[in-house]
Every structure is written in structure tokens, then in C-alpha cells.
């Protein structure tokens, strides 16, 4: 997807049955037509609003993970994030 700035997103996913993977504000359907449009630089396919996205919850979890990282390193941050996110 082309934007004014170039963004890279790297995600390591342990996908479970919830199907949420990354709770982002928009949904991209990676079907053949949309992927071809992205790869050839054509007009980006329409993205749909994700009704499950909750910015307040994401910011709360991020804050809790940052505090845990300062005291427990990345292990503390991951543990806290998982616990907070699934509450």
C-alpha cells in the first residue's frame, strides 16, 4: 500500500482461534486481486474499518507493557501485554 511515507510492518504471529492476529484500525483483504494491485503499484484496494479496533485498549496495554519493560525487560513486557490484552 503506497502512502506519502514508506512504512514497514514486521509481525511475528502465533495465531489462535480468535482470528484477530493484529487488531488494527483497518482491514485489508489479501485476495489475489488486491495483492496484485499492491505489487504492481496500482491504486490501493479499499480498506474497511475494523469494528473490533479499540484505540483506548491498545494505548492502555502499550502503557502497561512499557512500565513492565522498564522493570522486567522484554519478558515482563510480553507477559504483561498478553495478560492485559486478553482481559
Amino acid at each position: 500500500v503506497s502512502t506519502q511515507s514508506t512504512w514497514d510492518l514486521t509481525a511475528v504471529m502465533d495465531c489462535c482461534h480468535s482470528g484477530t492476529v493484529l487488531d488494527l484500525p483497518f482491514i485489508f483483504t489479501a485476495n489475489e486481486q488486491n495483492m496484485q494491485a499492491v505489487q504492481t503499484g496500482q491504486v490501493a484496494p479499499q480498506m474497511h474499518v475494523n469494528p473490533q479496533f479499540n484505540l483506548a485498549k491498545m494505548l492502555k496495554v502499550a502503557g502497561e507493557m512499557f512500565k513492565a519493560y522498564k522493570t522486567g525487560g522484554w519478558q515482563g513486557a510480553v507477559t504483561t501485554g498478553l495478560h492485559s490484552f486478553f482481559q
Side-chain angles (χ1 to χ4, degrees):
V1 175
S2 297
T3 61
Q4 291 179 344
S5 300
T6 301
W7 291 75
D8 292 326
L9 171 67
T10 302
V12 177
M13 296 176 268
D14 180 10
C15 303
C16 64
H17 66 280
S18 71
T20 57
V21 184
L22 297 172
D23 286 323
L24 299 174
F26 296 96
I27 298 171
F28 170 77
T29 303
N31 59 25
E32 188 174 333
Q33 179 183 358
N34 290 346
M35 292 304 295
Q36 184 176 4
V38 169
Q39 292 169 353
T40 59
Q42 297 173 6
V43 175
Q46 182 161 352
M47 308 252 304
H48 303 282
V49 173
N50 179 358
Q52 301 300 316
F53 181 72
N54 183 335
L55 180 60
K57 182 177 183 178
M58 291 291 149
L59 293 174
K60 178 182 177 215
V61 171
E64 291 170 356
M65 289 177 69
F66 180 70
K67 289 177 191 173
Y69 175 78
K70 291 194 306 187
T71 59
W74 68 267
Q75 296 96 335
V78 169
T79 302
T80 298
L82 290 172
H83 178 72
S84 298
F85 187 79
F86 291 108
Q87 283 186 352

